[in-house]
Amino acid sequence: MSEKHLTNIRFDGFGLAEELIRGIDQAGFSYCTPIQAETLPVALAGRDVSGQAQTGTGKTAAFLVAVYNHLLTHPADERRKVNQPRALMLAPTRELAIQIYDDARVIGAHTGLKLGLAYGGTGYEEQRDTIAAGVDILIGTPGRLIDYFKQHVFDLKMAQALVLDEADRMFDLGFIKDIRFLMRRCPPPEKRLGLLFSATLSHRVQELAYEHMNNPVHVDVEPEKVTADRVRQVLYHTANEEKIPLLVGLLRHGDPLRSIVFVNTKRNADRVWSYLEGNGFKCAVLSGDVPQKKRQRLLKEFQSGTLPVLIATDVAARGLHIPDVSHVFNYDLPQDAEDYVHRIGRTARIGKDGDAISFACENFVYSLPEIEKYIGHKIPVEAVPEECIVKLKPPVKIKRPP
C-alpha cells in the first residue's frame, strides 16, 4: 500500500452487513485507518469504546460503521414507537453535526435507515417535523436536541446506541450538563452500545465514560504523537506591527491553495479580513456570530476552492473535515495549548502534507512554553524573511463580506 496512514485491514473483512459494505465502497473506503482498525473489532463485538486519535484520522467513519452494523444486526424492539430513535449521535458544534450527517448519508445509503439532524440557528420547524415523523439515527447538538426532547418530539427509551464525538470539546463549550441530561434518558449502559471519541481524553472525559458507559475499552492510537507527522511547523517571532505585512507576504510568496488563518478575537478577524481584501485576497470570516446559513455557504465555497482564505476563530478549529487545506496560519498563538493541536490538525488530513505557520507576537508569545510542553517538542523557529514584509495597500472598510 502506498498510503502510510492506512493499515492492511480491509472493511470487507469484518463480516459487515452487505448493504453497509455497499455504502462503504461508495464512500471510497477499502482499508482502515489505525483508529478504525483498533476500534471496529471491539465495537462490532458489542463492547463500548472510548477512543483517542489525532484529528483527521477517521473517527467519524469508525463510529458510523459500528452503529449502522449494530442496528442492522440487532432488530428494533417491537414496542418501539415512531418517535423513538434507535441511535443518538451527539456533537459539540453545528458544523460537526452536519459533517456526521453528510458522512452517514453516504455510508448508510443502502441500509434503509432514516436519519434526523438537529442543530440551532436555522430550520427549526423542518428539523422538528422530520424527527417527529420518525428517524432511526438522530444526530445533533445538545441544545436543540434538549429543546425538542422537552417538547416530547422524541424520547430515548429505545436507543440501542449512543455516540459522543469530540467529548473534550463538550466540556470546553459548557455542554456537559446537557450531555448528562440526554445520557440519563437513554437505556442503561449495559443495554446499549456506547462509543466516545475525542482528539484528547482528559481525566474529566474518562470520568464521563466511566459514569455513562459499560466498562469501555480504551483505545489510543499513537497518543504520544500529539501533532501530525506530516505537518511542517514553523514559528516566526514578530512585532505586532509586522504581523499583517508578513501574512500578506507569505500568502503572496507561498501561493497557498486553501488557507485558514486563525485569530483569537472577532476584532482581529475583522482587521485581518480588511487588509487581506484590500491587498487582493478573496477571503471571509468564520466566527461564532456568523449566521448558520451563511456559515455553511462560506464553508462550501472554501471547500470548493472559490474562497481561498478563511479567517477563523476557534469555533472552526474542531471537528471540521475540510479536504486539502494547504496552510494553517496561527496569526495569533492560541491561549490554550490543546487548541494549537486542533488548529494545525486542519491541514495534513488523512495522510496528506501541510504547513502550519505561527506568529509569536508581543501579545501572545507567553502561550508558547505551554504549547511546546504539550506537544513535546520545540516548534522550529525561522528568521522572518525580509522579502515577505511587504508594503501594504490600504484596508477596505471593516465589515463582514456579504
Side-chain angles (χ1 to χ4, degrees), residues 121-368:
T122 187
Y124 189 89
E125 293 297 332
E126 182 182 357
Q127 293 176 17
R128 189 183 190 279
D129 291 345
T130 298
I131 295 167
V135 298
D136 296 289
I137 300 174
L138 179 55
I139 302 162
T141 54
R144 179 63 63 91
L145 285 169
I146 289 177
D147 184 355
Y148 291 150
F149 181 89
K150 289 183 175 179
Q151 294 180 51
H152 306 290
V153 176
F154 70 95
D155 74 51
L156 297 168
K157 294 176 183 176
M158 292 292 174
Q160 297 169 254
L162 172 67
V163 175
L164 185 61
D165 197 16
E166 296 287 5
D168 53 347
R169 190 62 166 165
M170 296 289 192
F171 280 95
D172 295 342
L173 296 176
F175 286 144
I176 203 59
K177 286 185 179 179
D178 293 342
I179 294 301
R180 286 196 164 103
F181 175 90
L182 291 167
M183 284 179 153
R184 287 168 181 156
R185 269 69 187 176
C186 293
E190 63 271 14
K191 294 187 177 181
R192 55 171 164 80
L193 178 67
L195 304 173
L196 180 150
F197 285 85
S198 184
T200 55
L201 284 177
S202 63
H203 175 73
R204 58 187 184 176
V205 172
Q206 294 182 56
E207 190 176 63
L208 182 72
Y210 177 81
E211 181 182 352
H212 291 284
M213 300 178 77
N214 182 25
N215 192 25
V217 176
H218 182 68
V219 175
D220 281 340
V221 175
E222 296 183 319
E224 74 281 358
K225 296 182 180 179
V226 179
T227 53
D229 290 337
R230 293 172 178 263
V231 181
R232 292 180 292 268
Q233 300 173 67
V234 64
L235 181 81
Y236 296 117
H237 286 278
T238 66
N240 288 343
E241 64 271 15
E242 289 179 334
K243 290 172 72 176
I244 288 179
L246 178 58
L247 177 63
V248 171
L250 290 171
L251 286 169
R252 283 181 183 168
H253 284 78
D255 193 27
L257 299 173
R258 191 177 286 114
S259 299
I260 302 179
V261 180
F262 281 108
V263 295
N264 289 348
T265 66
K266 288 185 290 184
R267 182 178 180 181
N268 272 356
D270 284 334
R271 186 166 183 268
V272 171
W273 173 82
S274 68
Y275 272 100
L276 290 186
E277 284 282 341
N279 285 270
F281 292 97
K282 183 174 171 56
C283 57
V285 171
L286 188 68
S287 61
D289 63 344
V290 176
Q292 183 61 25
K293 286 185 178 179
K294 181 178 178 181
R295 188 180 311 194
Q296 289 175 239
R297 173 174 62 81
L298 293 178
L299 286 171
K300 285 181 180 178
E301 291 176 1
F302 185 66
Q303 289 172 325
S304 70
T306 58
L307 184 70
V309 180
L310 196 63
I311 303 157
T313 56
D314 282 307
V315 70
R318 299 285 291 275
L320 293 180
H321 176 65
I322 303 173
D324 303 321
V325 173
S326 59
H327 291 66
V328 166
F329 291 89
N330 285 305
Y331 178 85
D332 297 327
L333 276 181
Q335 294 168 290
D336 187 317
E338 285 187 19
D339 284 335
Y340 177 82
V341 175
H342 298 306
R343 285 181 181 188
I344 74 170
R346 298 308 96 207
T347 189
R349 304 283 284 184
I350 310 277
K352 296 185 179 180
D353 295 325
D355 290 276
I357 300 167
S358 299
F359 296 173
C361 67
E362 299 154 47
N363 290 342
F364 298 109
V365 68
Y366 63 84
S367 300
L368 185 58

Side-chain angles (χ1 to χ4, degrees), residues 54-72:
Q54 297 169 38
T55 185
T57 52
K59 296 190 293 289
T60 303
F63 67 70
L64 285 174
V65 169
V67 169
Y68 268 122
N69 199 74
H70 188 76
L71 298 186
L72 291 171

